[in-house]
Amino acid sequence: MTRRVVVFDLGMVLSSPDGLYEELGSILGVTPQQVLDAFWLDRHAYDEGMSDQEFWSRTLGHLGVGPLTEDLLAALVSADVHGWDDPRPGARAILADLKAAGVETAVLSNAPTTFALAAPEFDWYDQIGTWFFSGTLGVAKPDQGIYAAVESRLAAAFGELWFIDDKQVNVDAANERGWHAHLWVDDDDTRAWLVAEGFLTA
């Protein structure tokens, strides 16, 4: 039987950052919109391995807030991780159904090393077979190197991997490599695609 692995992005595909920017804004004394405007400016570098200290120092600099104390850093890192660690009910149901069907799964997330350290404490950690975080790999989507790293660690051929991501550029990069990649829309669309691909029944 041909091996088939379903690989999920984390942010948006499985979980949504409900309340994250409000929480960070409360910690920093700025508006959620100000947080949103600053949060993503250096995020790709953070996802590729930049330290927590450097990322949040830069983010506070963009906001004109400071200084970055140890306690403040810990609060920001905790809020960031917990903003993404709880999948939506629909996504949880999909993961449970895939596990019940015996489908091999993985997560491939552009996320800092902090997330890799925290993931084993997620209450749904065992719903996923293998976890990949760009921060620990030192390379982030859509760089082809991260897809190659997944193939190598899973000992899987590119044609054995089905991938769901919310960013078209990441989907395109995976498709170019030979993965079966799908652009995330919502949980219902994800389920419908998995049904169409033969992983789940309608």
Side-chain angles (χ1 to χ4, degrees), residues 40-161:
W40 296 101
L41 294 177
D42 296 293
R43 191 70 182 197
H44 194 76
Y46 192 27
D47 289 341
E48 289 185 318
M50 176 187 284
S51 70
D52 297 335
Q53 177 82 30
E54 178 67 17
F55 171 73
W56 286 109
S57 291
R58 291 190 184 190
T59 301
L60 265 62
H62 297 314
L63 290 166
V65 176
L68 180 63
T69 64
E70 289 186 8
D71 287 346
L72 179 57
L73 177 61
L76 293 168
V77 168
S78 178
D80 187 13
V81 171
H82 291 304
W84 303 95
D85 69 355
D86 187 15
R88 297 177 303 276
R92 282 183 179 266
I94 289 169
L95 295 179
D97 290 346
L98 288 172
K99 186 171 184 179
V103 176
E104 186 176 357
T105 57
V107 159
L108 172 59
S109 177
N110 276 3
T113 302
T114 301
F115 280 63
L117 297 174
E121 302 303 319
F122 296 171
D123 66 6
W124 55 286
Y125 183 77
D126 64 356
Q127 295 284 1
I128 298 295
T130 311
W131 293 76
F132 299 94
F133 291 99
S134 59
T136 60
L137 296 172
V139 61
K141 296 175 288 184
D143 191 295
Q144 288 291 325
I146 199 167
Y147 302 100
V150 171
E151 294 165 12
S152 176
R153 181 168 164 189
L154 292 178
F158 52 77
E160 298 174 334
L161 297 162

Side-chain angles (χ1 to χ4, degrees), residues 17 19-39 56 59-60 63 65 72 75-76 79-80:
L20 171 61
Y21 305 117
E22 289 78 6
E23 175 68 15
L24 291 173
S26 177
I27 292 170
L28 294 171
V30 298
T31 69
Q33 185 60 51
Q34 287 174 300
V35 172
L36 180 59
D37 291 342
F39 186 79
W56 286 109
T59 301
L60 265 62
L63 290 166
V65 176
L72 179 57
L76 293 168
D80 187 13

